[in-house]
Amino acid sequence: MRLVLLGAPGSGKGTQGEKLVAEFGIPKISTGDALRAAVKAGTPLGVKAKATMDAGQLVANEIVIGIVEERLGQEDARKGFILDGFPRNTAQAQVLDQMLSRLGQPAVDKAVHLHVTDEEIVKRLLDRAQKEGRADDKEDVIRHRIAVYNQETHPLLDYYGQRNKLVTVQGVGGLEEIYTRILDALK
Ligand code: ADP
């Protein structure tokens, strides 16, 4: 199964993605996690991306495309994958389609949209800020990330909708409840 998870920051893509990993035994590829790891390790890529991430902006397409391409080319991703945080704009979605065909892999099966209101998103991210202290979980940066999502990523709902690949799931409720909704939507 080849899945793309769509949803605003804090919509639960990471958490639900982990459940899907456990269930289907396919890797989750998170560009956010990969970038944070690069920042932490102080690699040239991490150094380059840090200020952009801290400001809540999208890092350059070529950087995230490089990360995804490398990861998708690995053996364990051949039988399927769950993409979390990529694609985040239409250009990335187009590149993903091309990449899969170049790698000789089938196209994305479904894009799962976790729908959560802006209000709930701000609440969750401020809460996460207190618990995890992520550098981009500050109120003004959070609002900016939501604006970037609405402008850049939201159009992907149409991109996958037009291709009959979009499923929308309400992302508010208990974790198990939401997960069951996802599994039902994938049937
Ligand atoms: P969020 O919790 O906001 O969804 P992520 O953990 O997915 O955040 O990503 C954190 C940051 O990493 C983003 O705000 C952005 O700067 C960068 N990033 C992650 N994925 C991408 C991508 N596909 N394209 C551009 N930038 C990205």
Side-chain angles (χ1 to χ4, degrees):
M1 189 163 48
R2 293 168 178 81
L3 290 184
V4 164
L5 299 179
L6 293 175
S11 59
K13 301 187 297 291
T15 312
Q16 297 297 334
E18 285 306 329
K19 288 179 170 292
L20 291 164
V21 165
E23 179 120 14
F24 295 102
I26 50 179
K28 177 162 82 78
I29 303 172
S30 160
T31 43
D33 286 352
L35 288 166
R36 278 186 291 279
V39 169
K40 203 168 163 205
T43 66
L45 189 151
V47 171
K48 209 170 149 190
K50 186 177 186 318
T52 315
M53 292 174 71
D54 287 353
Q57 261 138 16
L58 296 187
V59 306
N61 282 343
E62 57 266 29
I63 292 185
V64 287
I65 288 165
I67 291 173
V68 172
E69 182 146 39
E70 213 228 282
R71 189 63 189 85
L72 279 183
Q74 288 170 24
E75 192 52 38
D76 65 336
R78 291 206 63 85
K79 58 183 170 134
F81 53 78
I82 296 154
L83 278 169
D84 166 11
F86 183 96
R88 239 181 173 87
N89 58 33
T90 307
Q92 292 178 12
Q94 286 165 343
V95 169
L96 174 63
D97 289 345
Q98 292 157 9
M99 209 186 277
L100 290 171
S101 92
R102 199 167 52 238
L103 289 166
Q105 291 195 22
V108 165
D109 296 304
K110 288 272 186 277
V112 179
H113 172 218
L114 281 171
H115 182 263
V116 179
T117 61
D118 281 4
E119 223 177 314
E120 170 74 13
I121 288 297
V122 174
K123 210 173 80 191
R124 286 188 191 178
L125 292 178
L126 287 174
D127 196 47
R128 184 168 87 185
Q130 283 191 324
K131 289 182 186 137
E132 295 175 24
R134 239 174 75 168
D136 58 351
D137 282 345
K138 300 193 177 70
E139 189 159 1
D140 54 334
V141 180
I142 288 171
R143 295 209 183 271
H144 187 63
R145 280 158 60 210
I146 294 172
V148 170
Y149 172 79
N150 286 329
Q151 195 171 339
E152 302 272 332
T153 313
H154 198 262
L156 290 183
L157 302 184
D158 280 338
Y159 185 91
Y160 288 105
Q162 282 157 9
R163 288 160 178 76
N164 281 323
K165 295 188 173 179
L166 184 71
V167 294
T168 295
V169 165
Q170 291 307 320
V172 183
L175 293 185
E176 292 302 329
E177 193 184 347
I178 297 167
Y179 184 59
T180 305
R181 285 179 203 148
I182 295 176
L183 291 183
D184 284 346
L186 288 177
K187 273 178 197 154

